[in-house]
Amino acid sequence: MTLFRQLDEHLPLHGRLAMGVEYDGSAYCGWQRLKHAASVQAEVEKALSRVAAQAITVHASGRTDSGVHATRQIIHFDPPVLRSEKGWVFGANANLPRDIAVRWVRPVPADFHSRFKALARRYRYVILNQPSRPVLERANTTWCRDPLDEGAMHLAAQALVGEHDFSSFRAAGCQSNTPWRHLHFIEVHRHGPLVVIDVQGNAFLKHMVRNIVGALVTVGRGGGGADYLTGLLAHQDRKLGDVTAPGCGLHFVDSLYDEAWGLPREPLGPNLLAFLGEWTGERELPDCPMIDFRRGKPGATLRMPGPAVEEGCSE
């Protein structure tokens, strides 16, 4: 599959638009617009508003926290003017800072919603596991100088797969009205000095992935044992949890949607993991009510309580 295609500069795009956005979150308080600090959302809206010469508000597939990066944040908006594909992409990028970029734009049906139509979200946490501190990778990995046993980390992480109360991995300031989430998979692999924690779920609580990573690093260092995360999960108490891993190693790499929406497929990020060769949407999603409901299957309903009831908080 090629990464290169010519952007159309003649045909105006009508109706609701979806965009893929990539950003380095180092300089921002996170995705969501805030009055007191710089945010990715504010920069994107400002750039698009300049292209349209009118105010534009965007909606995203998920929030990311301070310092967290994204390679496939999906947004949507209803443009007040007509612009071509090239006009939106090049125009936005010309007005964005160097640490944020629009990757693509597509027209979508009026009932598409980047948040409420998402079937899953996927993150990758990248740890540089070596004795010396990183230089070139310092902004997009977390450094761990102690040897890590990635096999033990992977084994311990499997206790989290499925639908659980993730209160022990939930930040105190999380706004979600339920701690239940459905983790589709979590894998821990080593690639030379890189230890990659790859996790996908229907949605995530605030700091959930970073708190999971903090616990897994404890296991990797030889503490806690194979049932360490099983015990933390059972406590359902963040005060009994482990440390929160830094935001710099976390990458929001995918939001998955039904293929009927026609969104582009891209290689999963970050680019320093391109050798893994996996593209978006290749894995089968689990059979669960939320996915059936969002795909519009006849008779599908959301049950209570369930992990898809509220998705107000995420990493």
Side-chain angles (χ1 to χ4, degrees), residues 173-189:
C174 182
Q175 299 171 9
S176 175
N177 64 12
T178 174
W180 286 82
R181 293 294 186 266
H182 186 167
L183 222 61
H184 300 165
F185 65 80
I186 179 168
E187 300 172 349
V188 184
H189 300 288

Side-chain angles (χ1 to χ4, degrees), residues 124-284:
R124 282 173 168 174
Y125 197 97
V126 186
I127 301 170
L128 188 62
N129 189 208
Q130 63 183 31
S132 59
R133 61 179 175 86
V135 177
L136 299 182
E137 305 90 355
R138 65 188 182 279
N140 52 28
T141 65
T142 291
W143 173 44
C144 181
R145 71 179 74 189
D146 303 317
L148 293 177
D149 183 343
E150 70 279 2
M153 294 167 69
H154 177 79
L155 182 63
Q158 302 317 299
L160 304 180
V161 175
E163 186 178 342
H164 302 285
D165 180 331
F166 282 94
S167 294
S168 294
F169 303 95
R170 175 185 189 179
C174 182
Q175 299 171 9
S176 175
N177 64 12
T178 174
W180 286 82
R181 293 294 186 266
H182 186 167
L183 222 61
H184 300 165
F185 65 80
I186 179 168
E187 300 172 349
V188 184
H189 300 288
R190 176 180 289 276
H191 308 278
L194 298 179
V195 174
V196 180
I197 300 168
D198 199 341
V199 56
Q200 180 176 295
N202 71 309
F204 292 90
L205 301 162
K206 186 175 184 181
H207 291 178
M208 179 174 159
V209 176
R210 292 166 59 189
N211 290 334
I212 290 172
V213 171
L216 288 176
V217 169
T218 294
V219 173
R221 284 172 166 153
D227 60 350
Y228 181 53
L229 272 75
T230 302
L232 293 182
L233 195 66
H235 289 318
Q236 297 181 8
D237 186 350
R238 178 59 195 146
K239 293 178 181 178
L240 300 178
D242 212 307
V243 300
T244 303
C248 57
L250 186 58
H251 302 258
F252 182 21
V253 300
D254 205 3
S255 288
L256 284 83
Y257 299 87
D258 193 277
E259 292 182 356
W261 297 114
L263 300 185
R265 296 179 66 235
E266 319 176 74
L268 295 176
N271 281 337
L272 76 162
L273 300 181
F275 58 85
L276 298 179
E278 186 173 357
W279 292 68
T280 182
E282 292 182 338
R283 303 194 186 198
E284 290 293 327

Side-chain angles (χ1 to χ4, degrees), residues 44-110:
V44 171
E45 289 178 341
K46 182 167 62 176
L48 292 175
S49 297
R50 287 178 176 171
V51 176
Q54 296 183 51
I56 286 180
T57 300
V58 304
H59 304 271
S61 56
R63 304 174 191 174
T64 53
D65 196 25
S66 179
V68 175
H69 318 298
T71 57
R72 188 174 162 86
Q73 171 72 276
I74 307 298
I75 67 172
H76 81 268
F77 62 99
D78 296 311
V81 296
L82 299 180
R83 299 284 186 269
S84 68
E85 181 185 20
K86 185 176 182 179
W88 283 117
V89 174
F90 279 36
N93 287 336
N95 288 284
L96 283 167
R98 294 183 63 186
D99 49 11
I100 306 174
V102 170
R103 297 173 64 95
W104 49 262
V105 62
R106 291 287 189 281
V108 289

Side-chain angles (χ1 to χ4, degrees), residues 1-6 265-267 279:
M1 183 175 294
T2 181
L3 295 174
F4 297 92
R5 58 177 295 272
Q6 199 76 16
R265 296 179 66 235
E266 319 176 74
W279 292 68

